Amino acid sequence: MAHDTVFFIAPDDETAAATRLRGPGRAFESVTCRFIEPDSAIADWDMYFADPSPGIPPMEQLLEWSWPEWVTAPLNDGVEVFALPQRLTRALADAGSAELEELAGRWTTRLRSADGDDMTDDDLLAVLQGVARLAASAVRTGGGLYSWSF
C-alpha cells in the first residue's frame, strides 16, 4: 500500500515523469492523501464513470478493468507515477457533487471491505472533490492529471 499519494496536474507526461525522484512538490497544483493504492483507485473511479452500475462491482470486474499507465517505468524503490486516463479526467471535471458523493461512498465501501480498520483516515469525499478540481483545471489548461506515490 502506498504511504503517500499526490494527485497533480502537469503540462505533459515528460514533466510528470520528472517528478519521480522528489515528488511533485509545491511546483504543481496537487491533492495529497495517505494509505491508498492509486492505481486501483484510478481504475475504480474510471469504471464508475465509464460503466455505471448500482452498488459496487465485484473485485473480479475491477481487476479486469483497464488500469492506468505508468508515466515512468517502475523500479524497486516503490515510487510510481501514473497518468489518469483522459476520459476519467474529463468525467471528474464534469462530475457534479451528487456523483462525487456517490463515488466516494462506493470507494469507501470497497476500501473498507479490502482494508478494514487499516483503511486510510483521509476524508475520501474531500480527496475526490480536490481531484475533480484538479481535473477541471487540467481540462481548462490542456494539461494532464497524474498521481505520484511512494
Side-chain angles (χ1 to χ4, degrees), residues 101-119:
E101 288 175 19
E102 184 177 324
L103 177 54
R106 179 171 137 167
W107 186 30
T108 299
T109 301
R110 184 176 302 282
L111 289 177
R112 192 164 280 127
S113 71
D115 300 335
D117 291 337
D118 292 332
M119 188 180 120

Side-chain angles (χ1 to χ4, degrees), residues 48-124:
Y48 171 83
F49 288 110
D51 188 18
S53 64
I56 299 170
M59 182 57 85
E60 296 78 29
Q61 186 177 352
L62 177 63
L63 294 174
E64 292 172 359
W65 197 255
S66 175
W67 285 53
E69 294 188 21
W70 280 293
V71 176
T72 59
L75 301 175
N76 289 331
D77 61 3
V79 175
E80 298 177 311
V81 181
F82 291 106
L84 277 71
Q86 284 297 317
R87 74 177 181 191
L88 174 58
T89 300
R90 284 189 299 279
L92 285 165
D94 294 338
S97 59
E99 283 178 299
L100 293 175
E101 288 175 19
E102 184 177 324
L103 177 54
R106 179 171 137 167
W107 186 30
T108 299
T109 301
R110 184 176 302 282
L111 289 177
R112 192 164 280 127
S113 71
D115 300 335
D117 291 337
D118 292 332
M119 188 180 120
T120 181
D121 56 1
D122 284 325
D123 178 342
L124 297 180

Side-chain angles (χ1 to χ4, degrees), residues 4 22 27 40 48 106:
D4 291 310
R22 293 189 187 94
S40 63
Y48 171 83
R106 179 171 137 167

